[in-house]
Amino acid sequence: MNTQQQFEQVMAECRELFAKKLHDYGAAWRIMRPSSVTDQIYIKANRIRSIETKGKALIDEGIRSEFIAIVNYSIVGLIQLELGHAEDASSLSVADALALYDKHAHASLELMLKKNHDYDEAWRGMRISSYTDLILMKIYRTKQIETLAGATWVSEGADANYMDMMNYAVFGLIKIEFGE
């Protein structure tokens, strides 16, 4: 399997869980402001780092499920940036939520393919723990952008950081699923 196929397979699994949660909860996340989405991603990335540092998890869910959550919350963040948060969680149908999911997943795939071309798949030589650290760094950058209300001087916006967090999480999932 090439990188695009691996990416698509991992994203299909993430999407499947997203769709199941949409069925169970609806789009309850629509009430979240982007800063709350960023904090949710922080919780997931921090747990991964904690497990990596301590060498074990006491809750019967490993880092794989947290990387999936980071992928899905990153897409939620992109949707929230696009639509704004809603006062009513029923403001988005399942079909529309999945269409937006697919749109942002495709945009992230396109970005990854371009970066893979330029960086010659350097991510394959990195450790999974480095993806965790990079995700945490992107979270802190996003928090600063949110503090500045998006008024940056030279930096990309929160959307680019969400896409990078998603792609690093996908890289972690690819390595977990397919090995080095």
Side-chain angles (χ1 to χ4, degrees):
M1 248 190 230
N2 67 27
T3 299
Q4 181 171 345
Q5 293 167 324
Q6 290 173 334
F7 185 101
E8 289 171 345
Q9 183 173 321
V10 165
M11 286 302 297
E13 183 180 353
C14 294
R15 186 188 190 277
E16 181 181 345
L17 180 62
F18 186 84
K20 287 177 179 177
K21 288 192 174 198
L22 271 174
H23 173 270
D24 290 352
Y25 305 129
W29 46 265
R30 285 288 293 129
I31 67 162
M32 294 177 76
R33 292 168 286 191
S35 59
S36 296
V37 177
T38 302
D39 285 343
Q40 194 62 35
I41 297 169
Y42 168 75
I43 289 168
K44 301 302 183 181
N46 196 61
R47 181 167 184 268
I48 294 170
R49 187 168 171 156
S50 175
I51 292 168
E52 290 170 345
T53 302
K54 294 173 184 170
K56 70 176 188 174
L58 297 182
I59 298 171
D60 192 24
E61 291 180 354
I63 64 172
R64 188 174 178 281
S65 64
E66 302 297 358
F67 276 130
I68 291 170
I70 290 170
V71 168
N72 287 342
Y73 274 115
S74 295
I75 290 182
V76 164
L78 290 165
I79 293 170
Q80 294 299 80
L81 287 174
E82 180 179 344
L83 301 181
H85 72 279
E87 297 301 324
D88 180 4
S90 66
S91 66
L92 188 64
S93 72
V94 169
D96 289 342
L98 290 172
L100 287 165
Y101 187 100
D102 293 342
K103 170 186 164 184
H104 291 292
H106 180 75
S108 289
L109 169 63
E110 292 299 316
L111 175 66
M112 183 276 298
L113 291 172
K114 289 175 185 176
K115 286 186 175 186
N116 254 7
H117 174 271
D118 290 356
Y119 290 99
D120 204 23
E121 295 203 339
W123 65 271
R124 290 203 181 265
M126 296 170 61
R127 297 172 187 92
I128 292 175
S129 60
S130 293
Y131 307 143
T132 306
D133 291 347
L134 288 165
I135 291 167
L136 284 164
M137 179 191 66
K138 294 288 183 175
I139 290 166
Y140 286 115
R141 286 181 175 185
T142 303
K143 285 183 174 197
Q144 179 63 20
I145 291 167
E146 291 165 350
T147 298
L148 295 171
T152 59
W153 290 347
V154 296
S155 302
E156 297 174 303
D159 57 338
N161 284 286
Y162 281 139
M163 289 177 81
D164 286 345
M165 287 183 247
M166 182 185 347
N167 283 336
Y168 286 128
V170 169
F171 293 158
L173 289 166
I174 288 171
K175 282 203 168 188
I176 290 167
E177 182 76 22
F178 300 102
E180 299 292 325

